[in-house]
Amino acid sequence: MRLLLATSNPGKVREFQRLLAKAPVEVVTPAEAGLSLDVVEDGETYAANAAKKAVAYARAGDCLALADDSGIEVDALGGRPGVFSARYGGEGLDDEGRNDLLLHELAAIPDEARTARYQAVVAVAWPDGQVELFFGTFEGRIGRERRGTRGFGYDPLFVTAEGRTAAELSDAEKDAISHRGIAMRSAAEYLRGLGS
Ligand code: IMP
């Protein structure tokens, strides 16, 4: 069974391929399928965005498709940036700029109130529009300085329960506890069920 990944982001493609290694599917990227879709992520929830992307790719590729949407929710900011995490501070900022802005917004917030979580929703869609959703949460807090060089996005500031940042974890360590790892393991289990 062919499973089209509804993303062209090389980091996400690698992560998905790693997490789907044992699922009974032939994983293909949009480039391999000759597809280039521009799906606007204008949903109000992670689930709406993930489902929209997965359905668009499943229809275009006439096969199963998998998409995710994710974000970080900071309690002291009332859950912001949430579904807008990739655009926090506006389109002009890169990861560095977004992390600077987050440190700035939290400058006066004491350690015990710097709790945050990553959320992920993975959607698996069929060409007829049917969608299955899988969820994952990764609890942590926002540090006061960057630590670590791995991962991406907010990882250098995201302090895990054991004290290291997500950017100080190996791929395997992050996959084992991360929002996307948790959601993807549920999705992979669902895909394994289809194969039996
Ligand atoms: P999207 O899921 O591609 O729409 O992007 C979600 C955004 O949330 C990313 O651009 C990051 O800013 C942030 N994010 C989601 N998951 C992670 C993670 O595992 N590490 C760091 N940042 C993340």
Side-chain angles (χ1 to χ4, degrees):
M1 201 167 9
R2 215 160 71 117
L3 177 74
L4 179 59
L5 299 182
T7 180
S8 301
N9 175 327
K12 278 196 180 177
V13 167
R14 271 197 306 277
E15 209 168 302
F16 286 149
Q17 282 170 332
R18 204 163 67 225
L19 290 159
L20 289 167
K22 288 188 209 132
V25 286
E26 180 206 344
V27 176
V28 291
T29 63
E32 286 164 352
L35 288 171
S36 166
L37 302 186
D38 190 15
V39 184
V40 182
E41 295 185 36
D42 55 1
E44 284 178 18
T45 61
Y46 308 112
N49 284 332
K52 186 178 177 188
K53 281 186 278 186
V55 169
Y57 276 86
R59 291 206 163 118
D62 196 25
C63 64
L64 272 179
L66 180 144
D68 84 323
D69 196 43
S70 55
I72 188 168
E73 298 173 355
V74 179
D75 291 326
L77 300 179
R80 282 193 300 119
V83 75
F84 303 110
S85 294
R87 285 160 284 163
Y88 175 50
E91 303 283 351
L93 294 188
D94 57 8
D95 280 348
E96 286 295 299
R98 281 186 283 275
N99 281 328
D100 283 339
L101 176 60
L102 186 56
L103 285 175
H104 177 74
E105 280 210 276
L106 297 185
I109 305 295
D111 287 351
E112 65 275 13
R114 297 172 75 94
T115 46
R117 68 203 50 77
Y118 281 129
Q119 301 276 17
V121 178
V122 169
V124 174
W126 300 79
D128 69 359
Q130 185 196 323
V131 185
E132 302 287 336
L133 296 174
F134 307 92
F135 299 81
T137 299
F138 183 11
E139 297 283 348
R141 58 187 173 77
I142 306 300
R144 293 193 175 274
E145 64 199 5
R146 292 167 169 80
R147 279 194 279 123
T149 54
R150 293 171 156 273
F152 69 100
Y154 301 94
D155 284 346
L157 292 180
F158 189 81
V159 182
T160 65
E162 51 102 302
R164 279 185 295 168
T165 68
E168 292 178 305
L169 303 180
S170 68
D171 288 346
E173 285 172 328
K174 186 176 173 193
D175 289 349
I177 55 174
S178 79
H179 49 317
R180 219 172 353 267
I182 293 166
M184 279 298 297
R185 277 191 292 281
S186 303
E189 197 174 316
Y190 168 74
L191 293 168
R192 274 196 294 277
L194 298 177
S196 59

